[in-house]
Amino acid sequence: MVNIQGQWLYHVVTVEFMLHQFGSDAGEFFIHRNVANLVPPYKKDEDYHGTSSAIEYAVKSLKIPHIIVLGHSTCGGVKASYDYFSENKSNLKEESNFVASWLEILRPSFNNLPNDLNEKNKVSYLEKAAVLTSVNNLTTFPFIQDAINNGSLSIHGFWHNIGTGELMSYDIKTKKFIFV
């Protein structure tokens, strides 16, 4: 029970941190959370798409002006994907079909991890790569492309270090995460 409560408190701190960082009040953010903060690529079909429907609702109905993809340190979902892809936990597919399938979104980023990093740094690198994967996947949605092109929407990638409180933003010019 402590782990569950601890995990819940951990997310509350992250949201409260973001509200404070941007000078916003509760209710001013439309927040959607999922495992590893991943956004799938656009796919139009009759399947159930929780994340895609939340994005569509926020952009088309609420007309939100900004999408923030917020990753964070010690992300359990990203660590699970690292373990799954590196075969530290190769039975994840049998144990948890939905989670394993969802984490496949991150496999291309895992396949491009630098070889010269140790495991801890590879996971940290993958946390930031997950943010960029989601930012890039957002641009595959036609209604997002339309909103970006008409100037009514911008997308931001952030990474929050839970331990230190530091916030980093992806800078498209330098192609690096920089401290905010």
Side-chain angles (χ1 to χ4, degrees):
M1 192 66 161
V2 173
N3 287 339
I4 293 171
Q5 185 179 9
Q7 190 73 356
W8 179 78
L9 291 174
Y10 170 70
H11 289 299
V12 170
V13 169
T14 302
V15 172
E16 290 301 321
F17 174 80
M18 289 304 293
L19 292 174
H20 173 75
Q21 282 293 112
F22 292 100
S24 299
D25 292 321
E28 291 184 36
F29 276 42
F30 179 83
I31 299 171
H32 175 76
R33 292 191 189 129
N34 63 39
V35 176
N37 297 321
L38 293 173
V39 173
Y42 176 78
K43 180 180 176 187
K44 187 174 181 176
D45 60 25
E46 298 300 316
D47 286 340
Y48 300 103
H49 295 278
T51 297
S52 299
S53 66
I55 293 165
E56 182 180 53
Y57 179 73
V59 173
K60 292 175 84 174
S61 298
L62 298 178
K63 310 260 187 249
I64 55 132
H66 301 277
I67 294 176
I68 297 171
V69 177
L70 174 63
H72 59 83
S73 61
T74 63
C75 177
V78 171
K79 177 67 166 96
S81 70
Y82 179 85
D83 289 343
Y84 174 47
F85 301 145
S86 60
E87 298 187 0
N88 293 342
K89 188 165 174 100
S90 58
N91 62 341
L92 181 65
K93 188 79 167 168
E94 292 80 35
E95 291 178 3
S96 184
N97 180 61
F98 295 117
V99 173
S101 295
W102 181 254
L103 294 177
E104 287 295 333
I105 296 168
L106 197 48
R107 188 178 288 274
S109 295
F110 173 83
N111 291 340
N112 290 320
L113 284 172
N115 292 326
D116 60 337
L117 300 176
N118 64 29
E119 181 175 316
K120 180 180 175 186
N121 289 334
K122 282 183 180 181
V123 173
S124 179
Y125 187 98
L126 196 56
E127 290 167 355
K128 293 176 181 123
V131 171
L132 299 181
T133 295
S134 292
V135 166
N136 289 331
N137 284 347
L138 281 165
T139 64
T140 66
F141 288 76
F143 56 88
I144 287 181
Q145 273 297 325
D146 291 345
I148 290 171
N149 290 339
N150 72 29
S152 64
L153 178 68
S154 57
I155 301 172
H156 313 275
F158 287 96
W159 181 82
H160 177 219
N161 185 320
I162 300 290
T164 65
E166 296 168 322
L167 181 66
M168 300 181 88
S169 173
Y170 186 72
D171 182 341
I172 198 160
K173 291 177 187 164
T174 63
K175 298 189 183 317
K176 294 181 181 178
F177 280 88
I178 57 172
F179 290 101
V180 175

